[in-house]
Amino acid sequence: MRKKIVAGNWKMNKNLEEGLSLSSEIIHIAADELRNDAKIVIIPPFIHLYAVSKLMQGNQKISLGAQNCAYKEEGAYTGEVSAKMLASLPVQYCIVGHSERREYFKESNAELAEKVNLLLAEGITPIFCCGETSAQRAQGIQLDWVCGQLKESLFHLDSDNFAKIIIAYEPLWAIGTGVTASTEEAQEMHEGIRNFITARYGETVAQSISILYGGSVKPENAKELFACKDIDGGLIGGASLKARGFIDIIKAF
Ligand code: PGA
């Protein structure tokens, strides 16, 4: 059985006080209401991580993730946060290659491969994002594009390390737009990604990898997305900023 995961990416939202209050709300509602076995990951901005980790101490259901890490190990990289620093906190997950970072910060597939290596070396699970633009979809090259992203940033890994990765398929045209991929479009891509992984790593590894869908997931559409055979959860942006909605998405399993 693949792990079911719902991760909330807060992006650059919430000051520390707001972040702590959102975290406690999520922790309390989750304890009261959640009975399924989905793993919950809260991914706040860097400056919240330490304080949120204190709130989450001992919590078996909810884990902490970071939104990014540096592609270098340490040194003179002003403004960056290393995988090693993240590992000095109870950070278990880290997003790699979110489309906003690829677009605004020009992160390349090669840099992302370095980030993946550094995170794995620290025992942190990368949540590797991939996805196509609407123009690429219009040309019908969405699967080739996404497979190229996987190949260039992940396929250097051996099977044991690759098996530790979580993939998040996030079509760029669906992120923050309110437009969700249809269940057919999403399932087709997830299946294509899994087949591509099967060809490189074999059936056992491919069947064990959690592939999350991201892009305008909300309580109203989570159920039908999560019911798809190859969709193992979601990476949630906007809808993770309200505890009630976020928990309702997790309940959709
Ligand atoms: P969204 O963002 O849910 O606001 O569309 C998803 C993401 O960017 O991870």
Side-chain angles (χ1 to χ4, degrees), residues 12-250:
M12 196 172 70
N13 293 295
K14 307 278 179 200
N15 65 24
L16 182 58
E17 196 186 333
E18 293 162 347
L20 286 174
S21 107
L22 174 58
S23 307
S24 358
E25 233 186 307
I26 292 171
I27 291 166
H28 287 119
I29 310 183
D32 287 348
E33 299 184 14
L34 286 182
R35 298 291 168 261
N36 65 33
D37 58 356
K39 176 105 220 129
I40 305 165
V41 187
I42 296 182
I43 312 182
F46 286 132
I47 67 140
H48 300 52
L49 288 171
Y50 180 71
V52 174
S53 78
K54 293 287 165 203
L55 285 183
M56 284 173 28
Q57 233 160 22
N59 197 313
Q60 299 298 316
K61 225 175 159 44
I62 310 182
S63 302
L64 195 57
Q67 297 178 14
N68 181 34
C69 72
Y71 75 101
K72 296 284 188 182
E73 201 171 342
E74 65 179 356
Y77 299 96
T78 303
E80 291 296 282
V81 172
S82 70
K84 210 182 265 306
M85 291 171 189
L86 295 177
S88 68
L89 295 177
V91 168
Q92 287 174 267
Y93 298 84
C94 182
I95 298 177
V96 175
H98 190 281
S99 62
E100 286 148 16
R101 299 219 49 95
R102 291 177 188 263
E103 185 181 352
Y104 306 135
F105 304 96
K106 306 287 171 253
E107 292 187 350
S108 67
N109 288 336
E111 269 169 31
L112 301 179
E114 293 303 327
K115 293 187 184 199
V116 165
N117 294 342
L118 291 165
L119 288 166
L120 288 172
E122 296 299 333
I124 296 174
T125 302
I127 301 178
F128 182 82
C129 298
C130 55
E132 82 286 356
T133 62
S134 53
Q136 287 160 338
R137 180 162 280 267
Q139 288 172 61
I141 58 165
Q142 61 273 18
L143 187 58
D144 288 346
W145 177 259
V146 164
C147 290
Q149 292 177 319
L150 300 182
K151 193 170 167 194
E152 288 183 32
S153 300
L154 299 177
F155 277 18
H156 62 283
L157 297 171
D158 62 23
S159 293
D160 285 351
N161 276 310
F162 187 84
K164 295 175 186 158
I165 304 283
I166 293 170
I167 290 173
Y169 167 62
E170 301 202 302
L172 272 67
W173 45 273
I175 296 179
T177 57
V179 181
T180 320
S182 68
T183 47
E184 294 75 21
E185 285 167 333
Q187 166 56 27
E188 188 183 36
M189 287 299 286
H190 282 234
E191 190 175 352
I193 291 168
R194 207 178 295 286
N195 290 341
F196 190 62
I197 296 171
T198 306
R200 166 72 177 87
Y201 290 101
E203 188 74 17
T204 311
V205 170
Q207 287 303 327
S208 74
I209 295 275
S210 296
I211 308 179
L212 316 184
Y213 169 80
S216 300
V217 178
K218 4 179 208 278
E220 300 79 50
N221 59 24
K223 209 175 190 66
E224 55 172 1
L225 284 163
F226 295 171
C228 294
K229 182 163 86 46
D230 287 291
I231 300 182
D232 306 304
L235 181 54
I236 322 298
S240 72
L241 296 171
K242 295 232 161 62
R244 178 75 269 157
F246 185 54
I247 298 286
D248 285 346
I249 290 173
I250 303 159

